[in-house]
Amino acid sequence: MNGSQLPPLLPPSASTVSGELDLLFAYITAISVFFAVGIAVALAVLAVLYRRKPGDGPPPQIHGSTALELVWTVIPLLIVMSFFVWGTDLFFRMRTPPIEPLEIFVVGKQWMWKIQHQEGPREINELHIPVGQPIKLTMTSEDVIHSFSVPAFRVKQDVLPGRYTTMWFEATKTGTFHLFCTEYCGTEHAGMGGSIIVMEPNEYQVWLGGGGAGESLTDAGERLFGQLGCATCHGDQAGARGPSLTGVYNSEVSLAGGGSVTADESYLRESILEPATNIVAGYDAIMPTYRGQISEEGVLQLVAYIRSLGDPAAAGATGAAAAGEAGQ
Amino acid sequence: MSQRHGPVTAAVITGSMPEMDNDHGPLQHHFDDMAQQNESAALGMWLFLLTEVMFFGGVLTAYAVCRYLFHDAFAEGASHLDVQMGTINTIILIFSSLTMALAVRAAQMSKTKLLVGLLIATMVFGGAFLVIKGIEYEHKWVEHHVPGKYFQYDGPMANQVHLFFSFYFTMTGIHALHMILGIGWMIWLTIRSWRGDFSAAYFSPIEMTGLYWHFVDIVWIFLFPLLYLFGAGAGAGH
Amino acid sequence: MSEQAAPRRRNRGRYEGDVPREHYLNVAYGLKSWLLTVDHKRIAILYLLSITGFFAIGGLFAAIIRMELMTPTGDLMSSEVYNRVFTLHGVVMVFFFLIPSIPAVFGNFFLPMMIGAKDLAFPRINLASWYIYTIGGIFTLAAIIAGGVDTGWTFYTPYSSTYSNSAVALTAIGVFINGFSSIFTGLNFIVSIHKMRAPGLTWMRLPLFVWAHYAASIIMILGTPVVAIAIFLIAVERLLGVGIFDPALGGDPILYQHLFWFYSHPAVYIMILPSMGVMSEVIACFSRKRIFGYAFIAASSLAIAVVGFLVWGHHMFVSGQSAYVSMVFSVLSMLVAVPSAVKVFNWLATLWRGSISFETPMLYAFGFLGLFTVGGLTGLYLGTLATDVHLHDSYFIVAHFHYIMVGGAVMGYLAAVHFWWPKMTGRMYSEFWGRLSAGLLFIGFNLTFFPQFLLGYMGMPRRYHFYPDEWQVLNVLSTAGASILGIAYLIPIIYLVYSLRYGPIAGPNPWHATGLEWTTASPPPQHNFETTPTVTEEPYDYSKAIENVAITPGAGPESPPSPAAPRS
């Protein structure tokens, strides 16, 4: 099926899902071509066979055929259901990250992508990643809706203000690939792109060492945590005015209003920016909002620091999978 | 109704200029008889109310989603509404529905003076509702609870409380606009009633206006508990 | 029988009679007689003129877009200007051309005639709907003059509500106002179809054009208010600073997308269903055959209208909505494909054993069948979850919806123009130029939009002012196609206007079609029929039509047409 497409008309296929997605695309294309060509040919043949000729009387008036209607209702239905089943199966696999992905944080703003690696390096409009390693992006926007799209990997995810969305991919080829913003975001929307640079793991390690500012994301978060005086209330001592943050990441937190919530990235972010929305049981709503005082990147650093308190190895794996499953 | 059929058909054939449409009898040129015209008007009105349901449905859905997401903040915002005034307004509106229903009845029985009186009563009740609503708006303005630049709220979750008041003003504002349009239309109907346009033979405009007016009341019957009473119960816990 | 042969020749043999002495166009003259008319036919003409004007404006914007995209660097204009151009192209084409196009012009003109009524149920509301449309249009034109709007026709929040520095509120108010004209039109149609049918015209005797408009009207009255409130809220957010869709003020931008697509996806069916109705009329007429599977085509229209309301979430597969919600929307989107397929197969079956001729309306119908099929099939890639992730917001989408909206809705609109022009004006246009422009349109359209499928699969995002160099070849092809397309749009304007004065007189029924609208004079008298017609048969009975209608030019109206009372 794929052979009927001209090779230069296909985008590079460079991720673990791109091959199967192309196959699904080819499957739908094969059936579509069959029907489109079939209908065009039928149209042409009917038009020639039954063209009006001099001396023709009125044609027979045919009312229809329920059997035929049934056939051309059921067959298309079965075909589209096969699209649905395959497409949904692949979609769920495309959304569920494998365990222990390499986590990278992305902030979109008009009109650039700001990227922070765990180890510290930050980049703008470029993302360096190692080949053969699942990458999970946790993304948010400072202003309007953007969308992080890498055609070569066949992945795309909207990046929303006010919440985190995640996506994952695993590159299978080294090279430089297009990164686009695909959700219209204003004047320089077309310029809000860049490159994904896929490197061999050892080159990536070299790049990490040489390219960054040195301070890891967790360290930056810890510094910010200290600057803002968070420890005054969120210390580990008994009787503190705020809940302890050790081991809080990905744990079940009971809420003051009843019910509970998993303290994932989104909850931590909300608790920093809108502390009063979901208060932990047993505490008063005394924490001021930090909205406007911390940038989205700062929030990500704080979240990374809070994640590092406690036991991220055990909690991170299952939590990430669960978050991906639920579709965030 | 069928006895009107003959002369009317003749009118259809002779009356051909579009300008003449304005001065016809109650039967319009393109209908065969009054039954057809009345049924069309009724069906049209019900369909229009259906679009109104969808219209309010959109904003009510948005409200429901946000209220679910920010339950506490919305309860907090609702506790700032004046339940007393809301209750008085609800009663006033129910009475206006009653006078409207009686007006339809009066038209049906060809009691012109009663019809005019009841229409005026309905408008007075409607006007009273709007005045009270205006007083409530004024209070919110003084308290800086009108969304936008001058909004002030010192407690926690100011943004979500702001959102609540956004919904409050949007929904009650659209509702008030519907009432103003209804009253405007009723002024015209009162004039026509005074002229004696309506009788047992022809009262479908009064009937249709009644449907519209009851609908606007029902919208309020939804808005009142959703906006006002929500705060009274939940706000007590604070 | 053999003397009656070759009905395709007859319309080029001149109709010897004259236009009727008095008809809807000459009962009154002067601007006032038009601006205050309550005659559905005159209102349809008012719509025809204003819609053509908006189509020209939207087309001009399209031409500018294609010129800019000829080169990858974005050198013709600034990004500010480009963003305004594509936004206005979308706003004008969707809200001011496509949605009103067939319903407001041909629905208005022919729906009352097809049901044997003197007018729609509410003539004054009908006129009001045109004024509302015009006022909405004036707001939008004012927005263009005030510097344009740059949000995309979808007005996604929070960009539209907070960040955009353009005339968003003015445009939003224009679209909001315009929505009520759709509501009034739909309401009028439904009431008329229920209450105004001629004696004997049962539901299963209604032309499929009427069925299609019934289905479209359901969407108009149920969907339009929802988008109206969504767009109204954007205007309120911008003007008053409430924050329902702005996360910075506590709101939710995704909520807007739900409200918007709840209408705007069904709105696609407002565009395509009336066009499908035209297809049923045209294909039956020019193959001189009863429509195959009448009940199934009628039922599929209603199925599309109903299921169409349940698929809006497929615009939001990558928006961050729950994967399980996406799954439900995906399966429902697949279901809506089936009734469309049923229609296409039934039209093909209608051709089978027919007596097909190839006048201009039929050529447009053939074009519709081909292009709509491609448009519908490519929709399946987008309903399929995994492939949509890759194709979402790419040129694949752009190509897909142009195949539906231009290949489907505009082709249907032009088929309708050419099919009913003789009835509306009493004159025939040039068949040669008609066929030529239909052919050009088909070629130009495919050349414009097929390359965009390829661009989309390679990953070119939509709404891009400039793009990587490797995509230039396909973009140049697309622009070349667009220039052909532009010419194909211009030619009909010339020969149709020319025909008004110099065209041969058409006579009451130049195509020898069935249907009540063909039993009256061309142009029709002010109240459509001299006497109220009575219907005794099912529609599309072409066996009778060809026997009873005399073929000799000029003799047409004298022989008694079967379905309705004879006219003099």
Side-chain angles (χ1 to χ4, degrees), chain C residues 122-198:
Chain C
F122 310 114
R124 273 177 289 188
I125 287 180
N126 196 20
L127 179 64
S129 92
W130 180 76
Y131 275 101
I132 291 168
Y133 169 85
T134 307
I135 294 167
I138 287 170
F139 267 92
T140 304
L141 293 177
I144 297 176
I145 293 162
V149 57
D150 73 341
T151 61
W153 76 277
T154 48
F155 299 108
Y156 266 23
T157 54
Y159 182 70
S160 63
S161 56
T162 311
Y163 289 86
S164 170
N165 292 313
S166 60
V168 180
L170 212 52
T171 318
I173 291 168
V175 171
F176 172 73
I177 293 172
N178 181 42
F180 289 93
S181 94
S182 278
I183 293 175
F184 284 170
T185 303
L187 200 149
N188 231 333
F189 286 174
I190 292 187
V191 174
S192 304
I193 295 169
H194 271 278
K195 299 292 178 193
M196 310 277 290
R197 300 194 309 277

Side-chain angles (χ1 to χ4, degrees), chain A residues 144-214:
Chain A
V144 301
I145 301 177
H146 303 281
S147 192
F148 194 96
S149 164
V150 188
F153 299 164
R154 314 283 190 273
V155 291
K156 181 178 292 144
Q157 173 63 51
D158 282 5
V159 177
L160 305 171
R163 72 180 79 167
Y164 289 130
T165 52
T166 59
M167 70 191 292
W168 80 275
F169 46 81
E170 180 181 333
T172 53
K173 282 184 190 148
T174 56
T176 303
F177 304 104
H178 287 300
L179 159 66
F180 295 115
C181 172
T182 50
E183 185 61 71
Y184 175 70
C185 59
T187 310
E188 290 300 322
H189 168 59
M192 186 171 165
S195 331
I196 309 285
I197 298 135
V198 183
M199 315 165 89
E200 293 295 342
N202 51 346
E203 288 172 30
Y204 177 70
Q205 286 307 326
V206 173
W207 177 85
L208 273 184

Side-chain angles (χ1 to χ4, degrees), chain B residues 55-84:
Chain B
F55 186 78
F56 280 100
V59 70
L60 281 174
T61 307
Y63 175 76
V65 169
C66 291
R67 188 177 132 166
Y68 171 76
L69 288 176
F70 313 116
H71 181 274
D72 293 350
F74 273 43
E76 174 65 23
S79 68
H80 289 275
L81 298 183
D82 192 329
V83 180
Q84 212 175 356

